Amino acid sequence: MKIVFAGLGVMGAPMAGHLLKAGLSVTGYNRSYDKAQVWAETHGAPVEADFERAVSTADTLVLCVGNDSDVRGLVTRAVNAMPSGSLIIDHTTTSAKLARELFDICASKHIEFVDAPVSGGQAGAVNGQLSIMVGGSTDAVERAQIVFTPYAKSVTHIGEAGSGQLAKMANQIAIAGAVQGVAEALHFTKSAGLDPSLVFDAISKGAAGSWQMENRWATMAADTYDFGFAVDWMRKDLGIALDEARSNGAHLSVAALVDQFYSEVQAMGGQRWDTSSLHARLEDRRKKL
């Protein structure tokens, strides 16, 4: 298997590194070639500046890029350069509509496409502990398993094309509510004059406990918000989910409200802060009272 991994950012770089450690043949590609060169030097692996040339001899293309436009651009270029029978795996969080569109485009060129967004953040990528939700044909998903295994904690085939992206929307909806809940609990703790560490000990092992509480309570309390998944990206993801909800009739009142809160964090200059910075918004409001 000859793999081209396109998108060597905070998620893609360690994921591609895991593929190399598993003994797979990987060539890196990144829109910013300087970033690709850093990855190449770190891993002792080849990179390619010309995308079409890179994929012309590859049987698998893995994408972990920014948004719908980025994915559409690369896939539409790839299908005219890759051999018939190739496989494209998209780990980017995009709209389900795009995933279905690209599935059809790839099928017309006899290329298989799976939408496979991930959850677990930068730490999950670095530690090879990502959860992957997948849409596509059974055969294509089975082919993709050799790629998923080095960096996945779990892989779930949700259904047909676009299903992986719909599951990722559910993931982001749940995270938005959970982070806001932890942020408000900590904000209330501080406002009440309680010791955050004692309150954490009291509530984290009971029904209030969650991954967000376990991993972000202490960092929120320390006003530290540099854990990878930026507010800008969360707003992109929530926007995709809210748009899908308008189509399928789902009522996402909490997600819509949290999306507004993230817009306030952006206005505070927190575009690149991580998602737990909802707490910074609450503390800023308290200081202004």
Side-chain angles (χ1 to χ4, degrees):
M1 177 181 282
K2 295 182 67 176
I3 301 168
V4 170
F5 200 108
L8 301 171
V10 294
M11 297 291 289
M15 291 164 71
H18 285 299
L19 295 178
L20 289 169
K21 292 173 187 175
L24 298 173
S25 173
V26 183
T27 297
Y29 171 83
N30 200 76
R31 181 168 53 188
S32 169
Y33 190 63
D34 290 345
K35 188 174 289 187
Q37 287 181 308
V38 170
W39 179 83
E41 292 168 4
T42 300
H43 296 281
V47 293
E48 178 60 74
D50 187 300
F51 179 72
E52 280 78 5
R53 185 165 60 204
V55 300
S56 66
T57 57
D59 48 43
T60 303
L61 169 63
V62 184
L63 302 172
C64 190
V65 291
N67 54 39
D68 281 32
S69 178
D70 296 329
V71 174
R72 180 182 286 107
L74 288 175
V75 171
T76 53
R77 289 167 64 187
V79 295
N80 292 315
M82 295 183 77
S84 177
S86 299
L87 171 66
I88 297 178
I89 300 167
D90 181 27
H91 286 309
T92 315
T93 298
T94 72
S95 65
K97 180 180 178 182
L98 177 68
R100 299 184 195 105
E101 172 192 328
L102 296 181
F103 177 88
D104 290 339
I105 290 172
C106 288
S108 72
K109 299 286 187 175
H110 305 289
I111 293 172
E112 294 188 289
F113 178 88
V114 296
D115 52 292
V118 302
S119 180
Q122 185 176 358
V126 170
N127 297 319
Q129 293 290 298
L130 293 169
S131 297
I132 307 178
M133 47 222 85
V134 192
S137 72
T138 299
D139 288 346
V141 174
E142 288 178 356
R143 282 182 64 187
Q145 290 294 342
I146 191 172
V147 175
F148 296 154
T149 299
Y151 46 72
K153 175 175 66 176
S154 68
V155 178
T156 306
H157 184 192
I158 303 296
E160 62 187 15
S163 298
Q165 296 297 349
L166 291 171
K168 180 61 184 286
M169 293 174 209
N171 184 82
Q172 301 304 77
I173 292 164
I175 287 174
V179 176
Q180 180 65 17
V182 172
E184 290 188 10
L186 176 58
H187 173 66
F188 178 86
T189 295
K190 288 182 173 182
S191 298
L194 303 178
D195 183 333
S197 63
L198 291 178
V199 174
F200 173 82
D201 290 341
I203 71 175
S204 63
K205 301 303 186 289
S210 67
W211 188 97
Q212 295 295 339
M213 180 173 288
E214 190 70 31
N215 289 275
R216 294 292 176 260
W217 180 279
T219 55
M220 284 180 179
D223 291 318
T224 303
Y225 308 111
D226 57 356
F227 295 95
F229 193 72
V231 167
D232 281 351
W233 293 118
M234 186 59 161
R235 287 212 72 203
K236 180 209 77 168
D237 290 359
L238 288 175
I240 290 170
L242 292 167
D243 185 62
E244 185 69 31
R246 283 187 282 272
S247 297
N248 68 20
H251 300 282
L252 304 183
S253 54
V254 172
L257 186 60
V258 174
D259 182 55
Q260 292 179 37
F261 294 162
Y262 276 126
S263 73
E264 294 179 30
V265 175
Q266 289 174 318
M268 292 169 59
Q271 296 93 333
R272 304 304 299 173
W273 294 348
D274 73 77
T275 53
S276 66
S277 57
L278 287 170
H279 175 256
R281 168 190 167 272
L282 292 169
E283 290 298 292
D284 184 65
R285 291 168 69 89
R286 180 161 68 99
K287 291 171 184 176
K288 291 177 179 177
L289 292 177

mmCIF file with all atom_site columns, all heavy atoms in Angstrom, residues 261-281:
data_model
loop_
_atom_site.group_PDB
_atom_site.id
_atom_site.type_symbol
_atom_site.label_atom_id
_atom_site.label_alt_id
_atom_site.label_comp_id
_atom_site.label_asym_id
_atom_site.label_entity_id
_atom_site.label_seq_id
_atom_site.pdbx_PDB_ins_code
_atom_site.Cartn_x
_atom_site.Cartn_y
_atom_site.Cartn_z
_atom_site.occupancy
_atom_site.B_iso_or_equiv
_atom_site.pdbx_formal_charge
_atom_site.auth_seq_id
_atom_site.auth_comp_id
_atom_site.auth_asym_id
_atom_site.auth_atom_id
_atom_site.pdbx_PDB_model_num
ATOM 1   N N   . PHE A 1 261 ? -21.987 31.730 22.357 1.00 0.00 ? 261 PHE A N   1
ATOM 2   C CA  . PHE A 1 261 ? -20.982 31.984 23.392 1.00 0.00 ? 261 PHE A CA  1
ATOM 3   C C   . PHE A 1 261 ? -19.571 31.940 22.803 1.00 0.00 ? 261 PHE A C   1
ATOM 4   O O   . PHE A 1 261 ? -18.705 32.739 23.164 1.00 0.00 ? 261 PHE A O   1
ATOM 5   C CB  . PHE A 1 261 ? -21.109 30.961 24.517 1.00 0.00 ? 261 PHE A CB  1
ATOM 6   C CG  . PHE A 1 261 ? -22.390 31.052 25.314 1.00 0.00 ? 261 PHE A CG  1
ATOM 7   C CD1 . PHE A 1 261 ? -22.812 29.986 26.108 1.00 0.00 ? 261 PHE A CD1 1
ATOM 8   C CD2 . PHE A 1 261 ? -23.169 32.202 25.288 1.00 0.00 ? 261 PHE A CD2 1
ATOM 9   C CE1 . PHE A 1 261 ? -23.978 30.060 26.854 1.00 0.00 ? 261 PHE A CE1 1
ATOM 10  C CE2 . PHE A 1 261 ? -24.341 32.285 26.027 1.00 0.00 ? 261 PHE A CE2 1
ATOM 11  C CZ  . PHE A 1 261 ? -24.744 31.209 26.818 1.00 0.00 ? 261 PHE A CZ  1
ATOM 12  N N   . TYR A 1 262 ? -19.342 30.981 21.894 1.00 0.00 ? 262 TYR A N   1
ATOM 13  C CA  . TYR A 1 262 ? -18.027 30.905 21.262 1.00 0.00 ? 262 TYR A CA  1
ATOM 14  C C   . TYR A 1 262 ? -17.756 32.148 20.409 1.00 0.00 ? 262 TYR A C   1
ATOM 15  O O   . TYR A 1 262 ? -16.599 32.576 20.284 1.00 0.00 ? 262 TYR A O   1
ATOM 16  C CB  . TYR A 1 262 ? -17.909 29.644 20.411 1.00 0.00 ? 262 TYR A CB  1
ATOM 17  C CG  . TYR A 1 262 ? -17.523 28.415 21.207 1.00 0.00 ? 262 TYR A CG  1
ATOM 18  C CD1 . TYR A 1 262 ? -18.290 27.261 21.141 1.00 0.00 ? 262 TYR A CD1 1
ATOM 19  C CD2 . TYR A 1 262 ? -16.382 28.402 22.007 1.00 0.00 ? 262 TYR A CD2 1
ATOM 20  C CE1 . TYR A 1 262 ? -17.935 26.123 21.866 1.00 0.00 ? 262 TYR A CE1 1
ATOM 21  C CE2 . TYR A 1 262 ? -16.023 27.281 22.736 1.00 0.00 ? 262 TYR A CE2 1
ATOM 22  C CZ  . TYR A 1 262 ? -16.803 26.141 22.659 1.00 0.00 ? 262 TYR A CZ  1
ATOM 23  O OH  . TYR A 1 262 ? -16.448 25.029 23.383 1.00 0.00 ? 262 TYR A OH  1
ATOM 24  N N   . SER A 1 263 ? -18.795 32.744 19.837 1.00 0.00 ? 263 SER A N   1
ATOM 25  C CA  . SER A 1 263 ? -18.583 33.978 19.077 1.00 0.00 ? 263 SER A CA  1
ATOM 26  C C   . SER A 1 263 ? -18.103 35.088 20.007 1.00 0.00 ? 263 SER A C   1
ATOM 27  O O   . SER A 1 263 ? -17.291 35.934 19.608 1.00 0.00 ? 263 SER A O   1
ATOM 28  C CB  . SER A 1 263 ? -19.867 34.400 18.348 1.00 0.00 ? 263 SER A CB  1
ATOM 29  O OG  . SER A 1 263 ? -20.834 34.918 19.245 1.00 0.00 ? 263 SER A OG  1
ATOM 30  N N   . GLU A 1 264 ? -18.565 35.078 21.263 1.00 0.00 ? 264 GLU A N   1
ATOM 31  C CA  . GLU A 1 264 ? -18.104 36.058 22.249 1.00 0.00 ? 264 GLU A CA  1
ATOM 32  C C   . GLU A 1 264 ? -16.645 35.794 22.620 1.00 0.00 ? 264 GLU A C   1
ATOM 33  O O   . GLU A 1 264 ? -15.866 36.735 22.824 1.00 0.00 ? 264 GLU A O   1
ATOM 34  C CB  . GLU A 1 264 ? -18.989 36.019 23.490 1.00 0.00 ? 264 GLU A CB  1
ATOM 35  C CG  . GLU A 1 264 ? -20.423 36.468 23.227 1.00 0.00 ? 264 GLU A CG  1
ATOM 36  C CD  . GLU A 1 264 ? -21.282 36.405 24.480 1.00 0.00 ? 264 GLU A CD  1
ATOM 37  O OE1 . GLU A 1 264 ? -20.736 36.577 25.598 1.00 0.00 ? 264 GLU A OE1 1
ATOM 38  O OE2 . GLU A 1 264 ? -22.500 36.180 24.360 1.00 0.00 ? 264 GLU A OE2 1
ATOM 39  N N   . VAL A 1 265 ? -16.266 34.516 22.707 1.00 0.00 ? 265 VAL A N   1
ATOM 40  C CA  . VAL A 1 265 ? -14.858 34.180 22.977 1.00 0.00 ? 265 VAL A CA  1
ATOM 41  C C   . VAL A 1 265 ? -13.984 34.692 21.834 1.00 0.00 ? 265 VAL A C   1
ATOM 42  O O   . VAL A 1 265 ? -12.898 35.246 22.061 1.00 0.00 ? 265 VAL A O   1
ATOM 43  C CB  . VAL A 1 265 ? -14.684 32.661 23.160 1.00 0.00 ? 265 VAL A CB  1
ATOM 44  C CG1 . VAL A 1 265 ? -13.206 32.307 23.309 1.00 0.00 ? 265 VAL A CG1 1
ATOM 45  C CG2 . VAL A 1 265 ? -15.465 32.169 24.388 1.00 0.00 ? 265 VAL A CG2 1
ATOM 46  N N   . GLN A 1 266 ? -14.448 34.517 20.596 1.00 0.00 ? 266 GLN A N   1
ATOM 47  C CA  . GLN A 1 266 ? -13.696 35.040 19.456 1.00 0.00 ? 266 GLN A CA  1
ATOM 48  C C   . GLN A 1 266 ? -13.515 36.546 19.568 1.00 0.00 ? 266 GLN A C   1
ATOM 49  O O   . GLN A 1 266 ? -12.436 37.079 19.294 1.00 0.00 ? 266 GLN A O   1
ATOM 50  C CB  . GLN A 1 266 ? -14.400 34.692 18.150 1.00 0.00 ? 266 GLN A CB  1
ATOM 51  C CG  . GLN A 1 266 ? -14.335 33.219 17.772 1.00 0.00 ? 266 GLN A CG  1
ATOM 52  C CD  . GLN A 1 266 ? -15.170 32.915 16.547 1.00 0.00 ? 266 GLN A CD  1
ATOM 53  O OE1 . GLN A 1 266 ? -16.284 33.416 16.394 1.00 0.00 ? 266 GLN A OE1 1
ATOM 54  N NE2 . GLN A 1 266 ? -14.649 32.077 15.672 1.00 0.00 ? 266 GLN A NE2 1
ATOM 55  N N   . ALA A 1 267 ? -14.570 37.240 19.986 1.00 0.00 ? 267 ALA A N   1
ATOM 56  C CA  . ALA A 1 267 ? -14.510 38.694 20.127 1.00 0.00 ? 267 ALA A CA  1
ATOM 57  C C   . ALA A 1 267 ? -13.536 39.112 21.225 1.00 0.00 ? 267 ALA A C   1
ATOM 58  O O   . ALA A 1 267 ? -13.002 40.231 21.192 1.00 0.00 ? 267 ALA A O   1
ATOM 59  C CB  . ALA A 1 267 ? -15.899 39.259 20.414 1.00 0.00 ? 267 ALA A CB  1
ATOM 60  N N   . MET A 1 268 ? -13.287 38.214 22.172 1.00 0.00 ? 268 MET A N   1
ATOM 61  C CA  . MET A 1 268 ? -12.307 38.469 23.237 1.00 0.00 ? 268 MET A CA  1
ATOM 62  C C   . MET A 1 268 ? -10.878 38.238 22.754 1.00 0.00 ? 268 MET A C   1
ATOM 63  O O   . MET A 1 268 ? -9.929  38.466 23.506 1.00 0.00 ? 268 MET A O   1
ATOM 64  C CB  . MET A 1 268 ? -12.576 37.541 24.430 1.00 0.00 ? 268 MET A CB  1
ATOM 65  C CG  . MET A 1 268 ? -13.853 37.802 25.187 1.00 0.00 ? 268 MET A CG  1
ATOM 66  S SD  . MET A 1 268 ? -14.225 36.457 26.358 1.00 0.00 ? 268 MET A SD  1
ATOM 67  C CE  . MET A 1 268 ? -12.758 36.460 27.408 1.00 0.00 ? 268 MET A CE  1
ATOM 68  N N   . GLY A 1 269 ? -10.721 37.782 21.524 1.00 0.00 ? 269 GLY A N   1
ATOM 69  C CA  . GLY A 1 269 ? -9.391  37.464 20.999 1.00 0.00 ? 269 GLY A CA  1
ATOM 70  C C   . GLY A 1 269 ? -9.032  36.008 21.137 1.00 0.00 ? 269 GLY A C   1
ATOM 71  O O   . GLY A 1 269 ? -7.869  35.618 20.958 1.00 0.00 ? 269 GLY A O   1
ATOM 72  N N   . GLY A 1 270 ? -10.025 35.160 21.437 1.00 0.00 ? 270 GLY A N   1
ATOM 73  C CA  . GLY A 1 270 ? -9.755  33.750 21.709 1.00 0.00 ? 270 GLY A CA  1
ATOM 74  C C   . GLY A 1 270 ? -9.978  32.816 20.543 1.00 0.00 ? 270 GLY A C   1
ATOM 75  O O   . GLY A 1 270 ? -10.314 31.647 20.752 1.00 0.00 ? 270 GLY A O   1
ATOM 76  N N   . GLN A 1 271 ? -9.780  33.295 19.327 1.00 0.00 ? 271 GLN A N   1
ATOM 77  C CA  . GLN A 1 271 ? -10.030 32.453 18.157 1.00 0.00 ? 271 GLN A CA  1
ATOM 78  C C   . GLN A 1 271 ? -9.222  31.153 18.191 1.00 0.00 ? 271 GLN A C   1
ATOM 79  O O   . GLN A 1 271 ? -9.709  30.108 17.755 1.00 0.00 ? 271 GLN A O   1
ATOM 80  C CB  . GLN A 1 271 ? -9.688  33.215 16.872 1.00 0.00 ? 271 GLN A CB  1
ATOM 81  C CG  . GLN A 1 271 ? -10.552 34.433 16.607 1.00 0.00 ? 271 GLN A CG  1
ATOM 82  C CD  . GLN A 1 271 ? -9.929  35.715 17.158 1.00 0.00 ? 271 GLN A CD  1
ATOM 83  O OE1 . GLN A 1 271 ? -9.160  35.688 18.121 1.00 0.00 ? 271 GLN A OE1 1
ATOM 84  N NE2 . GLN A 1 271 ? -10.260 36.832 16.538 1.00 0.00 ? 271 GLN A NE2 1
ATOM 85  N N   . ARG A 1 272 ? -8.007  31.215 18.705 1.00 0.00 ? 272 ARG A N   1
ATOM 86  C CA  . ARG A 1 272 ? -7.140  30.039 18.722 1.00 0.00 ? 272 ARG A CA  1
ATOM 87  C C   . ARG A 1 272 ? -7.080  29.382 20.095 1.00 0.00 ? 272 ARG A C   1
ATOM 88  O O   . ARG A 1 272 ? -6.340  28.418 20.287 1.00 0.00 ? 272 ARG A O   1
ATOM 89  C CB  . ARG A 1 272 ? -5.715  30.403 18.257 1.00 0.00 ? 272 ARG A CB  1
ATOM 90  C CG  . ARG A 1 272 ? -5.653  31.052 16.890 1.00 0.00 ? 272 ARG A CG  1
ATOM 91  C CD  . ARG A 1 272 ? -6.297  30.217 15.801 1.00 0.00 ? 272 ARG A CD  1
ATOM 92  N NE  . ARG A 1 272 ? -5.664  28.912 15.631 1.00 0.00 ? 272 ARG A NE  1
ATOM 93  C CZ  . ARG A 1 272 ? -6.107  27.954 14.844 1.00 0.00 ? 272 ARG A CZ  1
ATOM 94  N NH1 . ARG A 1 272 ? -7.212  28.153 14.141 1.00 0.00 ? 272 ARG A NH1 1
ATOM 95  N NH2 . ARG A 1 272 ? -5.465  26.819 14.748 1.00 0.00 ? 272 ARG A NH2 1
ATOM 96  N N   . TRP A 1 273 ? -7.823  29.906 21.065 1.00 0.00 ? 273 TRP A N   1
ATOM 97  C CA  . TRP A 1 273 ? -7.943  29.199 22.337 1.00 0.00 ? 273 TRP A CA  1
ATOM 98  C C   . TRP A 1 273 ? -8.690  27.894 22.096 1.00 0.00 ? 273 TRP A C   1
ATOM 99  O O   . TRP A 1 273 ? -9.439  27.767 21.127 1.00 0.00 ? 273 TRP A O   1
ATOM 100 C CB  . TRP A 1 273 ? -8.701  30.039 23.353 1.00 0.00 ? 273 TRP A CB  1
ATOM 101 C CG  . TRP A 1 273 ? -8.024  31.302 23.785 1.00 0.00 ? 273 TRP A CG  1
ATOM 102 C CD1 . TRP A 1 273 ? -6.735  31.673 23.550 1.00 0.00 ? 273 TRP A CD1 1
ATOM 103 C CD2 . TRP A 1 273 ? -8.622  32.389 24.506 1.00 0.00 ? 273 TRP A CD2 1
ATOM 104 N NE1 . TRP A 1 273 ? -6.484  32.914 24.078 1.00 0.00 ? 273 TRP A NE1 1
ATOM 105 C CE2 . TRP A 1 273 ? -7.617  33.377 24.674 1.00 0.00 ? 273 TRP A CE2 1
ATOM 106 C CE3 . TRP A 1 273 ? -9.896  32.622 25.010 1.00 0.00 ? 273 TRP A CE3 1
ATOM 107 C CZ2 . TRP A 1 273 ? -7.863  34.577 25.337 1.00 0.00 ? 273 TRP A CZ2 1
ATOM 108 C CZ3 . TRP A 1 273 ? -10.148 33.818 25.678 1.00 0.00 ? 273 TRP A CZ3 1
ATOM 109 C CH2 . TRP A 1 273 ? -9.139  34.778 25.840 1.00 0.00 ? 273 TRP A CH2 1
ATOM 110 N N   . ASP A 1 274 ? -8.527  26.938 23.005 1.00 0.00 ? 274 ASP A N   1
ATOM 111 C CA  . ASP A 1 274 ? -9.252  25.686 22.824 1.00 0.00 ? 274 ASP A CA  1
ATOM 112 C C   . ASP A 1 274 ? -10.686 25.822 23.342 1.00 0.00 ? 274 ASP A C   1
ATOM 113 O O   . ASP A 1 274 ? -11.063 26.849 23.918 1.00 0.00 ? 274 ASP A O   1
ATOM 114 C CB  . ASP A 1 274 ? -8.510  24.525 23.501 1.00 0.00 ? 274 ASP A CB  1
ATOM 115 C CG  . ASP A 1 274 ? -8.616  24.563 25.011 1.00 0.00 ? 274 ASP A CG  1
ATOM 116 O OD1 . ASP A 1 274 ? -9.679  24.181 25.547 1.00 0.00 ? 274 ASP A OD1 1
ATOM 117 O OD2 . ASP A 1 274 ? -7.636  24.957 25.677 1.00 0.00 ? 274 ASP A OD2 1
ATOM 118 N N   . THR A 1 275 ? -11.462 24.773 23.131 1.00 0.00 ? 275 THR A N   1
ATOM 119 C CA  . THR A 1 275 ? -12.902 24.851 23.394 1.00 0.00 ? 275 THR A CA  1
ATOM 120 C C   . THR A 1 275 ? -13.254 25.089 24.858 1.00 0.00 ? 275 THR A C   1
ATOM 121 O O   . THR A 1 275 ? -14.332 25.590 25.162 1.00 0.00 ? 275 THR A O   1
ATOM 122 C CB  . THR A 1 275 ? -13.603 23.571 22.916 1.00 0.00 ? 275 THR A CB  1
ATOM 123 O OG1 . THR A 1 275 ? -12.954 22.424 23.483 1.00 0.00 ? 275 THR A OG1 1
ATOM 124 C CG2 . THR A 1 275 ? -13.536 23.458 21.397 1.00 0.00 ? 275 THR A CG2 1
ATOM 125 N N   . SER A 1 276 ? -12.350 24.750 25.776 1.00 0.00 ? 276 SER A N   1
ATOM 126 C CA  . SER A 1 276 ? -12.655 24.962 27.195 1.00 0.00 ? 276 SER A CA  1
ATOM 127 C C   . SER A 1 276 ? -12.652 26.440 27.573 1.00 0.00 ? 276 SER A C   1
ATOM 128 O O   . SER A 1 276 ? -13.009 26.798 28.703 1.00 0.00 ? 276 SER A O   1
ATOM 129 C CB  . SER A 1 276 ? -11.650 24.203 28.077 1.00 0.00 ? 276 SER A CB  1
ATOM 130 O OG  . SER A 1 276 ? -10.336 24.736 27.946 1.00 0.00 ? 276 SER A OG  1
ATOM 131 N N   . SER A 1 277 ? -12.292 27.317 26.639 1.00 0.00 ? 277 SER A N   1
ATOM 132 C CA  . SER A 1 277 ? -12.260 28.757 26.908 1.00 0.00 ? 277 SER A CA  1
ATOM 133 C C   . SER A 1 277 ? -13.646 29.356 27.108 1.00 0.00 ? 277 SER A C   1
ATOM 134 O O   . SER A 1 277 ? -13.766 30.557 27.371 1.00 0.00 ? 277 SER A O   1
ATOM 135 C CB  . SER A 1 277 ? -11.533 29.486 25.779 1.00 0.00 ? 277 SER A CB  1
ATOM 136 O OG  . SER A 1 277 ? -12.138 29.213 24.530 1.00 0.00 ? 277 SER A OG  1
ATOM 137 N N   . LEU A 1 278 ? -14.698 28.555 27.025 1.00 0.00 ? 278 LEU A N   1
ATOM 138 C CA  . LEU A 1 278 ? -16.015 29.039 27.451 1.00 0.00 ? 278 LEU A CA  1
ATOM 139 C C   . LEU A 1 278 ? -15.951 29.558 28.883 1.00 0.00 ? 278 LEU A C   1
ATOM 140 O O   . LEU A 1 278 ? -16.692 30.479 29.253 1.00 0.00 ? 278 LEU A O   1
ATOM 141 C CB  . LEU A 1 278 ? -17.048 27.915 27.347 1.00 0.00 ? 278 LEU A CB  1
ATOM 142 C CG  . LEU A 1 278 ? -17.500 27.522 25.932 1.00 0.00 ? 278 LEU A CG  1
ATOM 143 C CD1 . LEU A 1 278 ? -18.333 26.248 25.989 1.00 0.00 ? 278 LEU A CD1 1
ATOM 144 C CD2 . LEU A 1 278 ? -18.276 28.650 25.268 1.00 0.00 ? 278 LEU A CD2 1
ATOM 145 N N   . HIS A 1 279 ? -15.068 28.967 29.685 1.00 0.00 ? 279 HIS A N   1
ATOM 146 C CA  . HIS A 1 279 ? -14.908 29.434 31.063 1.00 0.00 ? 279 HIS A CA  1
ATOM 147 C C   . HIS A 1 279 ? -14.334 30.848 31.101 1.00 0.00 ? 279 HIS A C   1
ATOM 148 O O   . HIS A 1 279 ? -14.715 31.664 31.962 1.00 0.00 ? 279 HIS A O   1
ATOM 149 C CB  . HIS A 1 279 ? -13.996 28.471 31.841 1.00 0.00 ? 279 HIS A CB  1
ATOM 150 C CG  . HIS A 1 279 ? -13.684 28.931 33.228 1.00 0.00 ? 279 HIS A CG  1
ATOM 151 N ND1 . HIS A 1 279 ? -12.466 29.469 33.574 1.00 0.00 ? 279 HIS A ND1 1
ATOM 152 C CD2 . HIS A 1 279 ? -14.434 28.950 34.360 1.00 0.00 ? 279 HIS A CD2 1
ATOM 153 C CE1 . HIS A 1 279 ? -12.471 29.793 34.855 1.00 0.00 ? 279 HIS A CE1 1
ATOM 154 N NE2 . HIS A 1 279 ? -13.660 29.493 35.351 1.00 0.00 ? 279 HIS A NE2 1
ATOM 155 N N   . ALA A 1 280 ? -13.429 31.172 30.183 1.00 0.00 ? 280 ALA A N   1
ATOM 156 C CA  . ALA A 1 280 ? -12.837 32.510 30.146 1.00 0.00 ? 280 ALA A CA  1
ATOM 157 C C   . ALA A 1 280 ? -13.921 33.557 29.896 1.00 0.00 ? 280 ALA A C   1
ATOM 158 O O   . ALA A 1 280 ? -13.878 34.660 30.459 1.00 0.00 ? 280 ALA A O   1
ATOM 159 C CB  . ALA A 1 280 ? -11.769 32.581 29.056 1.00 0.00 ? 280 ALA A CB  1
ATOM 160 N N   . ARG A 1 281 ? -14.882 33.217 29.070 1.00 0.00 ? 281 ARG A N   1
ATOM 161 C CA  . ARG A 1 281 ? -15.997 34.133 28.803 1.00 0.00 ? 281 ARG A CA  1
ATOM 162 C C   . ARG A 1 281 ? -16.774 34.418 30.074 1.00 0.00 ? 281 ARG A C   1
ATOM 163 O O   . ARG A 1 281 ? -17.110 35.585 30.372 1.00 0.00 ? 281 ARG A O   1
ATOM 164 C CB  . ARG A 1 281 ? -16.914 33.526 27.742 1.00 0.00 ? 281 ARG A CB  1
ATOM 165 C CG  . ARG A 1 281 ? -18.240 34.237 27.578 1.00 0.00 ? 281 ARG A CG  1
ATOM 166 C CD  . ARG A 1 281 ? -19.198 33.469 26.691 1.00 0.00 ? 281 ARG A CD  1
ATOM 167 N NE  . ARG A 1 281 ? -20.551 34.016 26.804 1.00 0.00 ? 281 ARG A NE  1
ATOM 168 C CZ  . ARG A 1 281 ? -21.428 33.618 27.727 1.00 0.00 ? 281 ARG A CZ  1
ATOM 169 N NH1 . ARG A 1 281 ? -21.115 32.674 28.605 1.00 0.00 ? 281 ARG A NH1 1
ATOM 170 N NH2 . ARG A 1 281 ? -22.628 34.186 27.785 1.00 0.00 ? 281 ARG A NH2 1
#
